[in-house]
Amino acid sequence: VSQLDWRNANAARKSTTSRYAERNELDAANHASSDTATDAPTMAPMPKRQKEIPRFNRGNYTETSEPLLWSLPTRGHSNLPSADEFMKSYIAEKRRLGKDIPWEMPLGDEQAVKLPLPIIGLNFPKSATLTLKEFFSCGGLTAIHTSAQQGRIAICMRENLLAGNAPLNGCNHTQDEKTGEVKPNDFFSDIGTQFPCFYSSLHEGGLEAIAEHYPHATIMLVTRNAKSWHRSMSGWGSILAHWRIKCGFDGNLNHTKSDYWHKKWILSTGRKKENYWIDFYNAHTQKIRDFAMKNPSLTYVEVELEDENMANKMEYYTGVPSTCVMDCHPGPKWIREHPNVTGRCLSIGGISQSTKVQDNSRGGDWTDDDDDTGDQR
């Protein structure tokens, strides 16, 4: 799917009815049809159709699959400017170069969002990946979180990088199961995986491939307080252990040590290595900011999750109503502890809840995500 295809699809996608309302209508119709069929003769159950294994799945890999090289800046991330401060500098540089600022233009009648498509979210896990997916779904985009119909997004991007293809080749569309209509996937979130380990924003060549093949795309980053992020990650299954063992994010990669990061790991105290992971998180933010500045044809948007005006800023940058910003809890623990809710996301303030999240876009790949903190995002 080319960027022109994304633009054409964007023009045909504009709707005043949210995706959530459409789901409610469909659920009501299904419920009504089932009620009227209670007197129908009993039919023998049809044999269950086996699920097709998605193309991009972990089963294609073994535990001996070697991790790829990764890099983060070693300086400049100790006292990062706020997202607002950086965006002010970024916008000034775009203006100096004579580049368009999409959110300064009115939203066209045939536009769902102000931002160029595709929109690629580079947030780390536990940094609003599901919140962003629900936000853009509410705004009328085909938004994908973790997996597309073809399987895990990260594995798709990893295989494309190694093959020299466009990063989203093969996982950039969704087909309607009833009509057969094929739509481009507009927004991608939670695009990393611990096995086989791949994160476009960390592994060598990942960001460069995005700039090469999608030079007019949008890169989005939602950051949060690094200490809060580490607390949340520490209770999120065993992801940090996988990052160390399977990804080599402690700087020890196949016995080839990244001097700076491996030394920091050794010198970092405490069982959970909090100081190390805080530096790691901030260096990741710095790397993406540097990338945005070096590639002005791309559009970059960064907001802070804890910012009380985050929802309004999202509306300003995207044109999607601020009411589409949801408070999302991806793990099952939160749902178990809140039996009166039907889904993983609530509108901000918890006044009204979203409809139940349907993961029809997922390729059925296994995930070990289990939020032991009850934390949001």
Side-chain angles (χ1 to χ4, degrees):
V1 180
S2 67
Q3 284 204 287
L4 180 59
D5 293 327
W6 263 300
R7 294 192 193 109
N8 292 338
N10 190 18
R13 183 177 291 116
K14 184 69 174 176
S15 171
T16 56
T17 304
S18 78
R19 294 290 176 89
Y20 298 115
E22 293 172 4
R23 288 174 185 158
N24 283 337
E25 292 171 7
L26 181 59
D27 288 344
N30 289 339
H31 182 69
S33 64
S34 65
D35 287 345
T36 58
T38 54
D39 297 329
T42 304
M43 302 290 289
M46 294 291 289
K48 283 190 176 180
R49 184 179 170 186
Q50 285 192 335
K51 262 190 174 181
E52 184 179 346
I53 298 176
R55 174 184 171 190
F56 302 108
N57 73 92
R58 290 169 173 165
N60 297 333
Y61 295 83
T62 67
E63 291 290 338
T64 59
S65 299
E66 292 189 0
L68 305 177
L69 294 176
W70 62 275
S71 66
L72 282 175
T74 58
R75 58 182 64 184
H77 57 266
S78 56
N79 292 295
L80 288 179
S82 68
D84 284 349
E85 291 169 336
F86 176 76
M87 287 300 295
K88 184 176 180 180
S89 300
Y90 171 75
I91 293 168
E93 179 63 8
K94 293 272 280 190
R95 286 204 179 100
R96 186 186 72 81
L97 296 172
K99 301 292 183 181
D100 290 337
I101 313 294
W103 48 85
E104 294 182 348
M105 302 176 185
L107 186 65
D109 292 337
E110 297 182 338
Q111 282 184 285
V113 294
K114 292 182 178 181
L115 301 175
L117 303 178
I119 304 170
I120 301 173
L122 295 179
N123 312 6
F124 270 160
K126 304 304 293 174
S127 294
T129 59
L130 183 58
T131 294
L132 280 186
K133 185 265 182 187
E134 293 301 308
F135 173 78
F136 283 111
S137 289
C138 176
L141 297 188
T142 303
I144 305 299
H145 182 265
T146 308
S147 294
Q149 285 179 337
Q150 302 81 12
R152 191 88 180 208
I153 302 167
I155 296 177
C156 171
M157 299 182 80
R158 183 184 193 274
E159 293 184 5
N160 282 323
L161 177 66
L162 296 177
N165 298 326
L168 299 169
N169 185 36
C171 54
N172 53 10
H173 63 275
T174 294
Q175 184 173 21
D176 188 288
E177 294 179 357
K178 294 183 178 179
T179 66
E181 181 185 4
V182 177
K183 295 182 178 180
N185 294 333
D186 306 310
F187 173 74
F188 299 83
S189 182
D190 191 31
I191 59 173
T193 181
Q194 304 108 61
F195 178 76
C197 187
F198 187 73
Y199 293 81
S200 292
S201 52
L202 288 171
H203 286 103
E204 290 293 305
L207 291 176
E208 290 74 14
I210 292 173
E212 176 185 355
H213 293 279
Y214 312 115
H216 303 291
T218 298
I219 299 297
M220 178 159 282
L221 184 68
V222 176
T223 60
R224 60 185 297 196
N225 175 274
K227 187 169 185 177
S228 297
W229 168 81
H230 175 260
R231 179 188 64 83
S232 186
M233 283 284 282
S234 296
W236 185 246
S238 53
I239 185 171
L240 287 181
H242 289 319
W243 275 18
R244 179 177 63 84
I245 297 168
K246 296 181 178 179
C247 300
F249 289 165
D250 60 351
N252 188 354
L253 185 62
N254 289 346
H255 306 291
T256 302
K257 297 178 174 60
S258 170
D259 286 344
Y260 177 84
W261 290 102
H262 192 60
K263 286 178 181 176
K264 283 191 77 70
W265 178 267
I266 293 172
L267 295 174
S268 182
T269 58
R271 182 176 60 85
K272 294 186 177 181
K273 301 283 188 178
E274 180 184 75
N275 291 337
Y276 178 88
W277 290 118
I278 287 174
D279 283 346
F280 190 91
Y281 185 90
N282 289 332
H284 176 257
T285 300
Q286 182 63 45
K287 181 177 181 178
I288 296 174
R289 289 178 174 182
D290 291 345
F291 171 72
M293 283 295 201
K294 291 175 183 176
N295 294 275
S297 68
L298 293 167
T299 296
Y300 180 73
V301 174
E302 181 183 327
V303 296
E304 294 174 359
L305 189 61
E306 291 94 347
D307 186 345
E308 62 182 11
N309 292 315
M310 182 262 202
N312 291 330
K313 289 174 183 176
M314 287 292 292
E315 179 174 351
Y316 171 71
Y317 286 129
T318 68
V320 176
S322 61
T323 52
C324 284
V325 175
M326 311 295 284
D327 176 13
C328 293
H329 303 257
K333 180 178 180 181
W334 185 83
I335 295 177
R336 289 196 303 267
E337 293 177 349
H338 297 78
N340 294 327
V341 303
T342 59
R344 300 180 294 176
C345 298
L346 300 173
S347 63
I348 295 298
I351 299 173
S352 63
Q353 69 182 49
S354 73
T355 58
K356 187 174 182 179
V357 177
Q358 301 290 335
D359 282 331
N360 295 330
S361 63
R362 284 180 174 263
D365 200 9
W366 171 84
T367 174
D368 60 352
D369 292 344
D370 189 4
D371 188 359
D372 295 327
T373 65
D375 196 11
Q376 75 175 70
R377 285 67 90 173

